[in-house]
Amino acid sequence: VRSDRASSGDRGEVRSDRASTSSPPVGSVAVRKLEGAGLDQVYDPTSSAAANEYDDSAGKAAVLPQPHSRGNRSSEEEEESQVSVPPGEVTSRTLDVTALQARSPAHVPAVDLSDVRNFLQQPAPEGPLLQCYITRSKGGGFMSSYPKYTMYIKQPTGGDRVLLAARKRGNSKSSNYVISTDPEDLNRDGGSFFGKLRSNFIGTEFVLYDNGYNPKKLPKDALNGRDKNGIGVRKELAVCLNTQNVVGAPTPRKVKGIIPQLVNGKPMEYCPTSEEDTILQRDKDSRMERDFLVMQSKQPKYNNTTGKYSLNFNGRVKLASVKNVQMVFQGQEEVLLQFGKTGKNDFILDFTHPFTPMQAFAFGLTSLAYKLANEGG
């Protein structure tokens, strides 16, 4: 199988000073309401303009070769390995999503990276999936036990460029990641700090924030809701929810994604200052209204011949893994984001409108995070 990954010899790392993220001032909920918005243009995923030119159902798929060597593997690597089972048999080891090969996107879309921080916060262009990938590497020093995840974007010129990096915080019992624009500066107080991804203890609920303040920890000397650097209350950028059937026959995990609605082509700024107004609580209370876009994972089909669940990744994914996932709008087939394993420490991350690169990276991290609940208990 030919590798789609471009050479990493020309990786131009991005380093930026921490800047204001233009969060709205403090209020009960700092959010632009959409009802009666007048001239505001709200994104409609069912419109013809949102349709992708690629049809994921096209072409015949062939199951890729399975890994044979077991060797000395960590628990995480063992979880991702694929094991053959008799036809039709369903066990916890058949949860690996098999990568299917059909055809690859025709080309790598060109994007403007002159202002990387702005690019990371804007929705990807409509059309072909932007091709990115994430590498997992061990760090040095005190934090060596926590791997570092670095996101690169493939470019038409052949060079790959660093977009974001993340690492789990050392003093956090849950999956709490610091996200930075510089892989060598993963300090929350550093100039490249860009946001954080926080989960509950069992790893079923993830919330993505920008680099703003927890509303309860806003500096006392803040003026008009902002500190001396112009940074205010944090924005909620995305929510990812994972569910797993732990009773009866195991089935692949289901993922639900929630991101702020797009207004005039940009993500709505949502800065809740109370628990009841958070995206998580509004989802639990069925108060989503038109303020958010909701998507779900594309459910794989069980193959009686191979004894595996299968998804079509158009040749981008090489290895079976429980971490492989594709996100779609409910009732639609167009893939908006796909994440999959290509090597021991390599994963593809492809996405398109309405995901921003920051949101896409977070969804990739949620799959990479160790989840006890997703292993059937």
Side-chain angles (χ1 to χ4, degrees):
V1 179
R2 181 180 65 84
S3 171
D4 289 308
R5 178 173 171 183
S7 170
S8 59
D10 182 20
R11 295 173 177 171
E13 298 186 359
V14 179
R15 187 182 185 96
S16 304
D17 292 332
R18 182 172 177 179
S20 170
T21 53
S22 65
S23 299
V26 176
S28 58
V29 181
V31 58
R32 188 176 190 179
K33 300 301 291 182
L34 302 180
E35 288 76 4
L39 299 178
D40 290 339
Q41 182 179 359
V42 178
Y43 179 69
D44 180 5
T46 63
S47 68
S48 59
N52 194 304
E53 62 182 286
Y54 294 100
D55 181 6
D56 291 314
S57 63
K60 294 184 177 180
V63 180
L64 296 180
Q66 300 182 20
H68 299 289
S69 175
R70 179 171 178 174
N72 296 322
R73 295 182 175 182
S74 64
S75 59
E76 183 179 79
E77 292 166 349
E78 180 65 21
E79 168 222 349
E80 293 173 354
S81 65
Q82 181 174 0
V83 176
S84 299
V85 296
E89 181 179 346
V90 181
T91 70
S92 61
R93 298 303 300 277
T94 67
L95 299 185
D96 300 342
V97 179
T98 303
L100 298 181
Q101 182 180 21
R103 56 173 182 161
S104 298
H107 64 282
V108 179
V111 294
D112 182 7
L113 298 176
S114 58
D115 185 346
V116 175
R117 295 181 75 94
N118 180 67
F119 170 74
L120 294 172
Q121 301 175 78
Q122 300 304 315
E126 295 185 34
L129 298 172
L130 292 182
Q131 294 185 0
C132 298
Y133 62 92
I134 296 175
T135 61
R136 177 172 56 195
S137 59
K138 289 186 177 180
F142 175 72
M143 296 293 291
S144 60
S145 61
Y146 298 103
K148 176 172 64 177
Y149 300 100
T150 307
M151 176 184 179
Y152 300 87
I153 185 170
K154 297 182 67 174
Q155 299 187 90
T157 56
D160 300 344
R161 181 165 180 176
V162 171
L163 291 180
L164 291 165
R167 177 180 284 148
K168 183 178 178 180
R169 296 184 65 188
N171 60 349
S172 175
K173 295 182 180 180
S174 61
S175 295
N176 195 335
Y177 293 86
V178 170
I179 301 176
S180 170
T181 57
D182 184 354
E184 305 305 320
D185 181 13
L186 289 167
N187 190 332
R188 188 174 180 180
D189 297 322
S192 300
F193 175 61
F194 204 65
K196 76 173 184 176
L197 180 68
R198 188 186 69 186
S199 81
N200 60 352
F201 179 73
I202 59 176
T204 57
E205 300 176 347
F206 288 83
V207 181
L208 174 66
Y209 302 98
D210 71 347
N211 62 350
Y213 289 96
N214 182 320
K216 298 179 181 180
K217 298 180 180 180
L218 192 66
K220 295 181 179 180
D221 59 351
L223 183 62
N224 294 325
R226 299 182 185 277
D227 67 7
K228 60 182 181 181
N229 296 317
I231 299 175
V233 174
R234 64 191 181 190
K235 303 174 189 175
E236 288 192 0
L237 304 178
V239 163
C240 181
L241 307 173
N242 293 273
T243 59
Q244 178 73 38
N245 177 26
V246 296
V247 179
T251 57
R253 66 187 173 106
K254 295 182 179 180
V255 182
K256 179 179 182 180
I258 306 172
I259 62 175
Q261 172 64 273
L262 303 185
V263 180
N264 297 330
K266 297 182 179 181
M268 178 181 63
E269 296 183 345
Y270 192 73
C271 306
T273 56
S274 64
E275 186 65 27
E276 65 178 356
D277 288 318
T278 61
I279 298 178
L280 272 176
Q281 192 59 48
R282 287 186 60 171
D283 177 63
K284 293 176 182 179
D285 296 341
S286 299
R287 294 186 291 117
M288 301 307 291
E289 302 168 347
R290 296 179 62 219
D291 294 335
F292 305 97
L293 296 171
V294 181
M295 54 206 70
Q296 63 187 25
S297 55
K298 190 173 185 178
Q299 287 303 288
K301 298 179 180 179
Y302 186 74
N303 188 318
N304 286 322
T305 302
T306 63
K308 302 295 176 183
Y309 286 92
S310 301
L311 282 173
N312 187 344
F313 283 89
N314 290 330
R316 288 282 288 153
V317 176
K318 296 181 180 180
L319 302 178
S321 173
V322 295
K323 301 182 185 299
N324 296 349
V325 67
Q326 292 178 326
M327 299 299 295
V328 298
F329 283 123
Q330 185 175 6
Q332 298 189 23
E333 290 295 314
E334 176 198 351
V335 174
L336 306 173
L337 178 148
Q338 61 182 16
F339 176 87
K341 187 176 177 67
T342 61
K344 179 179 179 181
N345 294 301
D346 301 294
F347 309 83
I348 62 103
L349 177 64
D350 302 338
F351 59 96
T352 187
H353 196 85
F355 278 101
T356 69
M358 177 69 161
Q359 291 167 340
F361 184 50
F363 272 75
L365 289 176
T366 65
S367 284
L368 287 163
Y370 179 79
K371 304 181 184 66
L372 177 62
N374 284 345
E375 295 191 327

